[in-house]
Amino acid sequence: MRFLEESIVKVGVEAANVEGAIEAAGELLLKEGYIEKSYIEAMKYSYKENGPYFVLAPSIAIPHARPEDGVNEASVSLVQLKDPIVFGHASNDPVRLVFGLGASSSEEHITLLRKLTGLLNDPMNVEKLATAGTYEEIKKIVEMGRS
Amino acid sequence: MKVLTVCGLGQGTSLILKMNVEQALADKGISAEVEHTDVSTASTMEADYIITSNELAEGLVGHRAKVFIVNNYFDMEEINKAIDENVVS
């Protein structure tokens, strides 16, 4: 289980569009071997098919696909966008934080989502994550949210 | 009472919504069974209430359950308000 570790968090990422933002969050998980390339394709396909419903809250997108699309380890990455991107959501655009969710069918999946929910239920944390300049700052926010 | 939280795939976001909805219902002392699933499965399931996003609600038009929308899945205030307005306990 991998949750917002240094190797899967990137600050100030430039992405041209929604697909680029999803790819960036997926690439972080791919280069560590937590997902397969097919999973990134499935995340983008889901966006095309189901629309931007995974923009769960103002500024926050959580692209994901199904475990069978190619997940090796339950994981959550973070891409903090340099410039906000419009995903086409009715009330939560534009997106500043993209959490790539490697969804597994294990108990770890639920643990990860609990951690993520605990972190993001506090709007102060969202603002801090969106404006953090370094991984160290993000790490502090993540660790405080763990209590 | 049976409540479904629904997202496109039934894997991630509906589970997050389920966690917060369960919390909100428990805080209100409402006993309910909350399940998470994807849109197409939800359309064939029995339930009293379905909670989902604006983007997916139109796929559930005609369902016997009362369908209502939450826009911010991490805003407990909005979730509590939506439950107060829609759920008859």
Side-chain angles (χ1 to χ4, degrees):
Chain A
M1 182 173 74
R2 307 287 170 171
F3 185 70
L4 302 179
E5 293 169 10
E6 185 162 15
S7 62
I8 50 175
V9 172
K10 212 168 174 186
V11 173
V13 174
E14 294 185 45
N17 49 35
V18 174
E19 295 220 326
I22 294 173
E23 273 167 17
E27 289 290 340
L28 290 174
L29 299 175
L30 177 65
K31 75 175 167 53
E32 297 298 316
Y34 304 151
I35 61 167
E36 302 294 327
K37 193 149 182 51
S38 55
Y39 191 79
I40 299 179
E41 294 309 313
M43 287 199 282
K44 290 193 286 182
Y45 180 76
S46 169
Y47 172 65
K48 260 187 228 149
E49 283 297 295
N50 299 311
Y53 77 88
F54 56 87
V55 183
L56 290 198
S59 298
I60 301 168
I62 307 185
H64 61 283
R66 294 189 168 90
E68 57 268 32
D69 292 318
V71 174
N72 299 322
E73 183 161 1
S75 45
V76 178
S77 67
L78 169 60
V79 160
Q80 181 215 58
L81 294 170
K82 183 168 178 282
D83 301 308
I85 289 180
V86 170
F87 275 54
H89 191 278
S91 56
N92 295 334
D93 268 332
V95 168
R96 294 189 290 169
L97 300 168
V98 183
F99 292 88
L101 170 63
S104 79
S105 48
S106 65
E107 195 62 31
E108 288 184 340
H109 179 58
I110 294 171
T111 307
L112 278 181
L113 291 181
R114 277 200 198 289
K115 280 170 177 275
L116 195 57
T117 304
L119 181 67
L120 300 178
N121 271 1
D122 183 347
M124 286 284 287
N125 285 343
V126 177
E127 197 50 40
K128 283 186 206 158
L129 289 171
T131 53
T134 62
Y135 173 72
E136 288 308 311
E137 287 175 50
I138 294 205
K139 190 181 170 192
K140 265 185 213 153
I141 303 157
V142 170
E143 283 176 353
M144 278 197 308
R146 208 173 275 169
S147 57
Chain B
M1 182 191 303
K2 173 97 172 255
V3 180
L4 298 179
T5 59
V6 173
C7 74
L9 301 169
Q11 299 288 343
T13 57
S14 57
L15 194 47
I16 289 172
L17 185 58
K18 175 187 145 132
M19 288 171 184
N20 280 340
V21 165
E22 274 178 339
Q23 181 67 52
L25 289 169
D27 289 348
K28 293 176 193 303
I30 300 172
S31 98
E33 183 195 344
V34 186
E35 261 189 70
H36 65 101
T37 187
D38 64 87
V39 179
S40 57
T41 309
S43 61
T44 65
M45 282 173 82
E46 288 284 324
D48 299 299
Y49 299 98
I50 294 179
I51 313 177
T52 190
S53 62
N54 187 44
E55 271 68 19
L56 299 174
E58 62 186 54
L60 294 161
V61 170
H63 199 287
R64 280 174 53 199
K66 178 162 189 185
V67 180
F68 61 97
I69 289 163
V70 167
N71 286 310
N72 181 343
Y73 283 25
F74 296 115
D75 183 350
M76 289 306 288
E77 225 170 277
E78 183 186 339
I79 293 170
N80 276 309
K81 193 159 166 266
I83 291 171
D84 288 342
E85 285 170 1
N86 291 285
V87 174
V88 183
S89 57

